[in-house]
């Protein structure tokens, strides 16, 4: 929790409580349904929560904005972002039922009112969103295909509407098709060694009506 305080200094009392409780909920649920590796659960604030919040260092979400988290797994990056931006609407989607069960229970346990959860493939999800977030669930080309037609027309943030993707390693080959993509190194925002190779990719996408 100290890690979150270190980089996000303007949390209110409720957000601090939610971030603290998040650890207990995941520790408990992970014993029943293994959604986070044993190694990672002990470093949940570093490897999952702070990593998810890396997106917030690149773009703060407006109240009323709509964010889609594709392949949310155990609820990352969606749950930490939903705590940080309580007035932004988050839609968390995953095709694996047992993972969605954990997300539902954690979301309820935290009292999150701004989270919608769907157990389905993203291609079957209707709606349009300001941003689509994810943690490296597929190659960018595949991911772009999955989320086709899900970007809202009106851009109201500093960055243009599109994808905010948490990725690691050398992305030059994967992104060569996408000349508008911009890579942000998380080591510029967080000093822990874990972030040395971690990045956020912003890929603007045009509305297709």
């Amino acid at each position: 929790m100290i890690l979150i305080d270190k980089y996000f200094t303007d949390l209110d009392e409720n957000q601090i409580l939610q971030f603290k409780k998040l650890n207990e909920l995941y520790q408990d649920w992970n014993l029943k349904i293994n959604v986070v590796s044993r190694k990672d659960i002990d470093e949940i604030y570093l490897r999952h929560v702070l990593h998810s919040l890396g997106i917030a260092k690149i773009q703060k979400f407006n109240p009323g904005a709509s964010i889609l988290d594709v392949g949310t797994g155990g609820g990352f990056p969606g749950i930490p972002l939903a705590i940080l931006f309580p007035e932004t609407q988050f839609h968390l989607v995953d095709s694996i039922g047992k993972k969605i069960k954990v997300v539902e229970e954690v979301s309820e346990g935290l009292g999150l009112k701004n989270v919608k959860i769907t157990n389905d493939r993203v291609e079957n999800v209707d709606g349009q969103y300001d941003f689509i977030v994810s943690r490296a669930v597929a190659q960018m080309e595949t991911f772009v295909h999955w989320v086709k037609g899900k970007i809202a027309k009106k851009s109201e943030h500093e960055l243009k509407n599109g994808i905010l993707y948490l990725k690691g390693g050398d992305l030059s080959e994967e992104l060569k098709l996408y000349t508008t993509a911009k890579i942000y190194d998380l080591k510029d925002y967080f000093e822990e060694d874990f972030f040395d190779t971690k990045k956020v990719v912003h890929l603007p996408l045009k509305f297709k009506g």
Side-chain angles (χ1 to χ4, degrees):
M1 185 53 213
I2 295 164
L3 266 182
I4 312 305
D5 292 345
K6 179 177 169 184
Y7 294 108
F8 296 90
T9 54
D10 53 355
L11 299 175
D12 65 29
E13 205 170 301
N14 189 49
Q15 288 170 311
I16 291 166
L17 285 172
Q18 285 175 318
F19 276 123
K20 281 182 179 168
K21 196 173 182 186
L22 178 148
N23 181 42
E24 296 164 31
L25 288 164
Y26 276 108
Q27 294 280 359
D28 184 43
W29 273 100
N30 214 53
L31 293 172
K32 303 171 196 170
I33 302 171
N34 190 18
V35 290
V36 177
S37 76
R38 294 278 175 258
K39 180 185 174 188
D40 282 5
I41 197 74
D42 293 332
E43 294 190 82
I44 193 163
Y45 286 119
L46 173 70
R47 293 172 171 268
H48 292 281
V49 181
L50 194 58
H51 188 212
S52 297
L53 296 177
I55 287 173
K57 290 293 185 186
I58 310 309
Q59 178 62 69
K60 289 181 168 53
F61 297 131
N62 295 339
S66 191
I67 313 297
L68 177 66
D69 177 5
V70 174
T72 191
F76 302 101
I79 295 273
L81 289 170
I83 294 173
L84 195 65
F85 300 106
E87 293 177 37
T88 301
Q89 298 305 309
F90 290 86
H91 188 178
L92 280 52
V93 177
D94 203 287
S95 60
I96 300 170
K98 71 171 188 176
K99 291 185 176 181
I100 283 295
K101 166 77 172 160
V102 174
V103 178
E104 287 170 344
E105 295 292 342
V106 169
S107 179
E108 192 176 321
L110 294 171
L112 293 173
K113 308 288 187 218
N114 58 333
V115 171
K116 177 183 174 184
I117 298 160
T118 300
N119 178 201
D120 206 341
R121 293 172 60 84
V122 69
E123 297 96 318
N124 300 327
V125 171
D126 291 328
Q128 289 172 334
Y129 303 85
D130 297 282
F131 290 101
I132 297 170
V133 300
S134 191
R135 288 212 301 179
V137 292
Q139 289 283 95
M140 188 62 92
E141 197 171 355
T142 304
F143 191 77
V144 169
H145 179 71
W146 286 351
V147 302
K148 207 172 180 181
K150 298 192 194 309
I151 291 293
K153 188 171 190 175
K154 196 173 180 187
S155 263
E156 296 183 334
H157 291 76
E158 188 183 337
L159 296 179
K160 286 184 178 166
N161 289 2
I163 293 167
L164 287 166
Y165 212 33
L166 289 158
K167 286 283 242 176
D170 182 4
L171 303 174
S172 50
E173 188 65 28
E174 185 175 342
L175 295 176
K176 66 181 182 185
L177 289 171
Y178 304 103
T179 53
T180 57
K182 182 163 183 191
I183 300 170
Y184 298 85
D185 290 309
L186 285 179
K187 66 182 178 186
D188 295 339
Y189 302 90
F190 303 135
E191 63 185 21
E192 288 71 21
D193 292 346
F194 175 74
F195 296 104
D196 283 355
T197 60
K198 302 287 189 287
K199 300 167 172 64
V200 175
V201 179
H202 172 238
L203 178 62
L205 289 182
K206 286 192 167 63
F207 166 82
K208 286 178 179 158

